[in-house]
Amino acid sequence: MRARYSAHVLGLVDFVVATYHPSCHAESQRDAIAESVHSDWQRLDVISASAGSHDQEGFVHFKAYLCDQQQELCLEERSRFLREEGLWYYVDGEFPQQAPALKVGRNDPCLCGSGKKFKKCCG
């Protein structure tokens, strides 16, 4: 997971394509993968790693942050990897259930952490 994230940061499209499992046919998705790779990635938080249903399967739950139009966005995924001939390949992922959005009152502290009231900041 860390190698794939680092490849995104470094713009290594070939590496990212090569680390997809062959069943994904990543080469046919090269343009979309390149677009993702060339995003402004900021940091990676690995939440957990766990074994799968057999020795050749594993899961990584992560949050990857990127900046888009001066706004930080978060991609959270639980990725599935398969090991073949000693190498791990990305297969697919699922997006964890998001908590319902909190209702923020105008006089509540702003969610951005500025310390200002919501109405004076992001509201």
Side-chain angles (χ1 to χ4, degrees), residues 23-45:
S23 67
C24 297
H25 307 287
E27 191 60 47
S28 67
Q29 303 295 320
R30 180 176 279 277
D31 291 342
I33 293 169
E35 185 176 326
S36 171
V37 166
H38 295 304
S39 297
D40 186 11
W41 296 99
Q42 300 293 306
R43 70 182 188 279
L44 172 70
D45 294 332

Side-chain angles (χ1 to χ4, degrees), residues 1-2 43-50 59-65 74-79 94 96 98:
M1 184 68 239
R2 292 185 196 283
R43 70 182 188 279
L44 172 70
D45 294 332
V46 175
I47 309 301
S48 66
S50 58
F59 294 90
V60 177
H61 180 186
F62 70 92
K63 291 182 179 181
Y65 297 86
C74 176
L75 167 66
E76 182 176 2
E77 184 178 296
R78 183 174 181 258
S79 298
E94 58 186 35
Q98 298 294 321

